[in-house]
Amino acid sequence: MSQSSAILLSLTLNGEPVQVAAPAHWTLLEVLRYKLDLIGSKQGCDKGDCGACTVQIDGLPALACLTLAALADGRSVTTVEALGCGPVVHPLLDAFDRHDAAQCGFCTPGILMAAESLLRRSARPVTRHEAASALAGNLCRCTGYTKILDAVVDASERLRAEHDDGR
Amino acid sequence: MLRLPQFQVATPTTLAEAVDLLQRNSPGARLISGGTDILPNLKHFLDQPGLLVSLARVAELRRIDRDDRAGRLVLGAGLTLAEIAQHPDVRAYFPSLAKSAGLVAAPTIRNMATLGGNINLDTRCRYVNQTELWRGGIGGGCLKSEGQVCHVVPTGRRCVAAMSSDNVPVLISLGATIHLHGPAGQRALPLADYFHADGLRHTHAAPGEITAAISVPLPTSPRRCDYIKWSVRQSIDFPLVSVALRFDLDADRSDAAITDVSVVAGVLGAKPREVNKLDELVVGRSFADPSVAQIVSEAAYSQCKPLPNVPYDPAYRREMIRVLTRRAIAAMV
């Protein structure tokens, strides 16, 4: 690696400012996994077909495997690790647990990030169809999707109920 | 894991700067916008540019302007496909475009991919969009990769990789114009004239020219339009049958007379195909006349000849052009 092709990135990563140096031709996924040890985002097909690397960039789900790290500079990146850091279990994680929505688990981080973005942007509980549309870029080869959709709809209803209770 | 080849990345903030960077580093510099097309291709080592010039920070590409006096909607090339699909003016005036933009790949890709990138989507072929190892397995690639032969048309000397954009057929059917910025200045041409039938270089963009915007004339009469996409998974994948339909009518009733018609198909060869001679066949007829669906779908069938360049049997895809076109027109009435 020649010195000149390294770049210095400044990101807001899971709410915290982060600076990291990386080769200019690395993807965001490579920087997350191999520089920052955030291995929740998975390297599946690595070419945009499977959605296992889904993260949120400025709040919208995007594929870390097709985002050049250099172009994520200055942006806000949220990975699945952020969901596990709250004081209480996130309703989406709780619902995935109760519905057995993860089997091998490889697709789960990407699905959680796509689903979280949908739930956060929806003013009312989401329908099954809306959940399926939002997750249309995430492949799961174990579950057949039924339990995943059950969990996302359930989490959305609980989030809404919590919101209405003013909690 | 698929490694990218080594390159540098430049992030200009103006179009002029981007044009200049492309020109100064040519050949060997390529544009990147959303990255969802070029990065998989680079991961397959279909090209090894030394520099990627990013359009992500070029604010002037992100405009969307409705000019009622000039009667057109101008869409900046840097708008994402999600933004195009959701924009109120696109949905109101060009529902077939909102539909086609909303059918590209998957939500994650549509949040990243841009209109300009989709217009300039590289042509695709089952023998090209594979790993280097796979291409080695068929004897070292083809005309479009590292080889000397075409595996689709073995006697062919011209690449027939397919123009696979969902939005291009729709924009051509709507009479769109493409606005280019290059070293020689700015120019505009009908999007229908932007493509040509060579999968290696399937657009008329001059070296260093960048797609700045697409303008689409606002409808001046009642209209029925639709976009047909058939693909295997209905998500993530590229179209295998792709047809855009537009009928202008003399009144806003389904039994009104047809005043203008456009039918454009994609995913055949490197160039989208405008189904011709439709004017003399259906203009003047009532849109509710059941023979319209029959005539248009038969014309599409006879003029569109899919090749074995993308998955699925060409004969089946050809039949589906006829069936889906007929059904779409019947459903619009």
Side-chain angles (χ1 to χ4, degrees):
Chain A
M1 187 56 48
S2 67
Q3 196 73 40
S4 62
S5 65
I7 48 159
L8 185 65
L9 299 174
S10 302
L11 308 171
T12 303
L13 182 60
N14 297 334
E16 300 287 331
V18 167
Q19 284 212 327
V20 57
H25 66 285
W26 275 29
T27 62
L28 176 62
L29 182 63
E30 288 168 318
V31 170
L32 291 173
R33 290 181 60 87
Y34 307 128
K35 287 280 180 186
L36 300 169
D37 290 336
L38 292 173
I39 57 173
S41 309
K42 301 302 182 216
Q43 203 157 16
C45 70
D46 216 6
K47 52 182 175 178
D49 289 335
C50 78
C53 65
T54 303
V55 298
Q56 291 173 9
I57 301 180
D58 296 335
L60 290 177
L63 299 175
C65 78
L66 295 186
T67 301
L68 284 183
L71 302 181
D73 186 42
R75 304 181 74 179
S76 170
V77 176
T78 309
T79 68
V80 70
E81 282 83 357
L83 285 189
C85 293
V88 292
V89 176
H90 191 283
L92 205 46
L93 300 186
D94 182 46
F96 267 61
D97 180 29
R98 283 184 290 104
H99 287 272
D100 290 323
Q103 288 186 20
C104 91
F106 199 81
C107 70
T108 311
I111 287 183
L112 288 171
M113 295 317 284
E116 198 279 333
S117 176
L118 171 72
L119 300 195
R120 187 164 30 77
R121 287 178 294 137
S122 180
R124 52 173 173 75
V126 300
T127 64
R128 207 174 171 78
H129 179 74
E130 287 168 333
S133 300
L135 299 183
N138 296 78
L139 291 186
C140 171
R141 302 290 79 174
C142 302
T143 63
Y145 304 101
T146 302
K147 293 178 174 185
I148 293 173
L149 296 178
D150 290 345
V152 173
V153 172
D154 183 355
S156 140
E157 285 163 358
R158 287 190 182 224
L159 269 168
R160 226 40 244 170
E162 281 179 24
H163 183 267
D164 293 345
D165 289 350
R167 279 156 66 187
Chain B
M1 157 150 69
L2 296 168
R3 287 271 188 209
L4 283 164
Q6 288 189 32
F7 47 72
Q8 308 277 337
V9 181
T11 52
T13 54
T14 64
L15 254 182
E17 210 184 324
V19 168
D20 184 52
L21 275 164
L22 268 188
Q23 196 180 18
R24 279 194 286 117
N25 295 282
S26 139
R30 287 194 57 183
L31 289 173
I32 180 168
S33 187
T36 55
D37 185 41
I38 189 173
L39 292 182
N41 288 344
L42 296 185
K43 286 184 175 194
H44 286 162
F45 281 81
L46 288 166
D47 194 6
Q48 294 186 50
L51 177 72
L52 291 187
V53 177
S54 166
L55 298 177
R57 306 263 150 91
V58 181
E60 60 202 286
L61 294 177
R62 308 239 334 120
R63 291 179 319 148
I64 182 158
D65 289 322
R66 194 178 90 212
D67 184 343
D68 287 325
R69 190 170 300 173
R72 61 182 195 171
L73 185 68
V74 182
L75 302 165
L79 296 165
T80 67
L81 297 178
E83 288 167 334
I84 299 279
Q86 290 157 11
H87 195 277
D89 279 345
V90 176
R91 296 175 77 97
Y93 294 104
F94 309 114
S96 57
L97 178 61
K99 182 175 179 182
S100 62
L103 283 173
V104 174
T108 37
I109 304 260
R110 294 195 292 275
N111 285 338
M112 306 164 71
T114 61
L115 179 64
N118 193 254
I119 302 291
N120 291 285
L121 186 78
D122 203 352
T123 53
R124 300 183 60 82
C125 179
R126 65 206 300 189
Y127 298 100
V128 176
N129 300 97
Q130 304 285 355
T131 61
E132 209 175 12
L133 181 70
W134 191 103
R135 299 197 303 271
I138 56 165
C142 65
L143 297 175
K144 191 168 169 64
S145 55
E146 50 280 296
Q148 303 294 325
V149 291
C150 177
H151 300 287
V152 176
V153 185
T155 54
R157 304 182 64 178
R158 191 177 253 200
C159 173
V160 292
M163 195 298 300
S164 303
S165 161
D166 286 298
N167 298 301
V168 162
V170 171
L171 286 166
I172 291 175
S173 78
L174 297 173
T177 297
I178 184 167
H179 300 264
L180 300 158
H181 281 230
Q186 305 179 17
R187 66 182 177 122
L189 74 161
L191 188 62
D193 299 339
Y194 184 59
F195 298 93
H196 81 128
D198 179 356
L200 301 189
R201 193 170 175 81
H202 76 300
T203 74
H204 289 298
E209 260 186 339
I210 298 176
T211 301
I214 300 289
S215 61
V216 196
L218 296 171
T220 52
S221 61
R223 174 178 281 181
R224 302 288 183 273
C225 59
D226 199 4
Y227 173 62
I228 300 161
K229 173 178 185 170
W230 180 80
S231 66
V232 177
R233 297 190 297 202
Q234 296 173 40
S235 171
I236 307 177
D237 46 1
F238 286 89
L240 300 177
V241 170
S242 168
V243 184
L245 303 166
R246 173 180 61 81
F247 294 89
D248 286 352
L249 308 177
D250 70 354
D252 197 9
R253 303 187 314 268
S254 58
D255 64 347
I258 298 167
T259 56
D260 193 25
V261 56
S262 174
V263 177
V264 186
V267 216
L268 301 169
K271 187 180 174 179
R273 175 170 290 275
E274 291 177 84
V275 176
N276 57 32
K277 300 204 178 78
L278 286 178
D279 283 354
E280 52 204 74
L281 292 172
V282 299
V283 166
R285 283 179 190 260
S286 158
F287 189 57
D289 179 348
S291 67
V292 169
Q294 192 73 19
I295 291 166
V296 173
S297 60
E298 290 301 330
Y301 175 82
S302 68
Q303 294 178 36
C304 299
K305 301 185 175 89
L307 296 164
N309 50 0
V310 296
Y312 272 70
D313 180 35
Y316 175 77
R317 289 167 46 225
R318 191 175 180 199
E319 194 61 44
M320 284 302 104
I321 290 173
R322 170 155 63 187
V323 170
L324 297 175
T325 301
R326 191 180 64 225
R327 286 183 192 162
I329 296 171
M332 277 193 278
V333 173

